[in-house]
Amino acid sequence: MSGEIKWYRVPVDEVLTLLDTDEDGITAEEAQIRLSKYGFNEVEVKEKESSLHRFARQFASPLIYVLLAASLVTFILKEYADMAVILGVILANAVIGFIQERKAENALESLAKMLVPETSILRDGQRMIIHSRELVAGDIAIMEAGDRIPADLRLMYAKNLRIDESMLTGESTAVEKNIDPIETKGLPLAEQKNIAFGGTLVTQGSGLGIVVATGSESEIGKISELISKTKKISTPLVRTIDQMGKTLAVVILGLAILTFIIGRLRGFDNLDIFFASVSLAVAAIPEGLPALITISLAFGIKRMASQNAIIRTMPAVESLGSATVICSDKTGTLTKNEMTVRNIHTLEGKFDVTGVGYKTEGDFELQGKKIDPLEHPALMETLKAGALCNDAYLREEGGIDGDPTEGALLVSASKAGKFYMQRVDTIPFESEERFMATLHQDEEKNSWIYVKGSPEKLIELCSHQFSGKELSPIDPEKFLTAAEDMASEGLRVIATAYRKLESGKDEIEEKDTKDLIFLGLQGMIDPPREEVKRSIFKCNNAGIRVIMITGDHILTGHTIARQLGIRTDGALSGSDIQGMSDEELTEALKTVSVFARTSPEDKSRIVGLLKQEGEVVAVTGDGINDAPALENADIGVAMGKSGTEVAKDASDMVLADDNFASIVNAVEEGRNVYSKIQKVILWTLPTNAAEGLAVLAAVILGLKNPPLLPLHILWINTVTALGLGVPITLEPMEKKLLNRPPRQPNEPLLLPVIKQRIVTVALLMVTATFLLYFFEMMKNGRDSNTAQTIALNTIVFFEIFYLFNCKSIYENVFRELFSNKFMLMGIALVVSLQVFITYNPTMNTILKTSPIDPMDWLIIVITASSVFFLIELEKYVKKKRKMN
């Protein structure tokens, strides 16, 4: 089979059967047809494209076909100089297109290195987080719900562990795993219950596994050796531009034919009118537009990555510029996710905890006085429960590995002493249940269950409370009130409970989590990120609404929202949402921007209703439960640090720093990318139209020596595309992008202002160029070369001055004239080349140009600069009218 193919969804032995090279060389398309029986038709299979193929593809355009035909005609007519210039232009366009496309692809490929999956392992007795590619056989990998398995693992511990293996086996339902040995050899992958295969996803539970195969030795690696997949840069916008270009090409070719007919009627000979028609087509077709837009998108994505926003799908760049609502998590996104326990509430009183961050130094105070925690049994048991029912680890050198909330509980416990009891079983935290439980045995083999979770949930599970001296029936209102008071101070509140079970018990059953004994509440602060407040202020100015959707207590969420400047009329809880109809919730969404204690279904429902109201919605998420909302959103944003692989797979963008401010930066960059694309169109279409109009006008006027020869048009397009077109894609970001309202998703690509500029600029350029041409012809009689040289330079200098206008569509650019060094370098290059072809004898012969006087240059510059001042005056007048 020719080429490489990449495929991840079929067992190895069946891939080998399907792609058997003993057959008569099946193609990639045939392989796709055969593989479709597995139900994975959406996966695109392509042969790997070589650099030679990519370069050859640059010649596949209507413009190139026209030029090749023209070069053939010139060869037949023995006009070898013209033929050489045309072929040179064709080659130059192909090289430029190839380089631009390769740069765009390289920019995207480099982003893949920023999304290397990480995995949590036990190595040398220490828990650590490493890049998955650093795994070696013998490492012990830790698996939790939402994780992608980093390598093939032999399971040694599994608790409610279910794994989605559809990418390997085609089975849509998750497989329940165990640690039992397998006696039968050669079992299919789907029946190997004690193996977790690399690339598959943990949907439920937790487990430990020994790495037995990595890289090409793993099952997915074996398939990777056989197959490869190539992605081509494409977005709806690029496809729209491409289609617009094809439509323009058809229209322009029709005009070229009409030009030929008019020319024949006006008495032109066949060769002259043929070249005139070709030059019109070359002048008017915006052949470089798709390439310039693609490179604008690609480098925009790279700039976003430098600001910690990694784009996974290119259409997200376009959507970001239109975002009207950002639905954000609170913890770690709006806040620092650096939890520190500040208060502990038990029946013995409300204790204050001193200390900062994850440092274990600190004291306990009661009513402002330092106390010995050992003298307060309820406090000690609360701390003990938080330490034992915990999956985080304290590093010896400082800091934690694991969830920040659990890290804060470990730190607060370590301030009172060390707690240890052998763990024998676990119920992992699930957002739907809102609690975690662990089973432990002490030295006498007594069994104890410790539970932590939301106060509301644990109060439901408890029948008694511990005062430090005795047990008594629980008083729910007492603890709920305490939890609300702590939450109103912006604290995240975690409740703890315990229960003694029968000796020797080694597995948690559902009944064990009932009739618990309530211990106390730990309130921890997660301070808002300082930069987020500024970012929300930017959003308010930009017409982007920020909505907080959090699993925290409603008062905690509301307090943090007020501190950050989120505009909201109160807050709603998950239970409030579930009691509302779609109509009622839609009405509430108009004023309420804080939603707490929400379920995944609530979050997805909010996103859906916002979209129904015409909003363009960005949503953040980190857990497997966030995947539906991320998929449902216009722009799904996953957390790079704390996010699960499931969340990342469902997202369009990944935040490398989990910071809300990075979303706002990405929205601004998204607007910047779209703005640059509009600027490219704004410069390209009017200048191309002017060149085409100049050719058509010369034919209509019956000019045997037109102002612009076909070779001049070829020269202009080649030089200005490189020297003026590319630099505009590198234009610095405008300062007031976030002071504008979001772009409407259905906004036409050709804005009314662009259509107006096409007419205004094209007419001005052609009129001025023809006037200078006729003036020179009258002055010098029949010396058409000098007049044509002046016309050629006039058109180029018009394009240079108009390029400055295009630095902003609506704003005056006087203060930003020299902000783009690449544009200044490009202009210097173009001017140098124009001087070269004007005074170099060889170029005079090839392009039929002549040296001109210094005064001619002054007239050209003054005339061409008129476009700059007229367009800037137009902007000023429109702005004044708008203000009035």
Side-chain angles (χ1 to χ4, degrees), residues 214 337 368 679 762 880:
T214 62
N337 206 15
K679 291 172 187 177
K880 279 290 185 183

Side-chain angles (χ1 to χ4, degrees), residues 118-123 128 130-143 148-157 194-199 207-220:
E118 294 182 329
T119 187
S120 184
I121 67 166
L122 294 174
R123 184 184 286 178
M128 60 184 70
I130 64 170
H131 290 312
S132 296
R133 63 189 176 197
E134 296 174 6
L135 279 173
V136 297
D139 280 334
I140 298 176
I142 301 169
M143 295 163 282
R148 187 178 292 282
I149 305 298
D152 288 358
L153 311 175
R154 169 61 166 93
L155 297 174
M156 54 187 292
Y157 168 78
N194 62 0
I195 299 291
F197 297 104
L208 297 175
I210 300 174
V211 175
V212 294
T214 62
S216 60
E217 298 300 318
S218 65
E219 292 298 327
I220 198 170

Side-chain angles (χ1 to χ4, degrees), residues 790-810:
I790 289 174
L792 167 61
N793 282 304
T794 301
I795 285 286
V796 171
F797 273 81
F798 259 109
E799 295 193 13
I800 289 173
F801 279 105
Y802 180 58
L803 185 66
F804 284 109
N805 295 125
C806 297
K807 289 172 71 69
S808 177
I809 299 176
Y810 304 104

Side-chain angles (χ1 to χ4, degrees), residues 697-712:
V699 173
I700 292 173
L701 293 174
L703 300 177
K704 300 298 183 181
N705 292 313
L708 295 174
L709 297 175
L711 288 181
H712 295 164

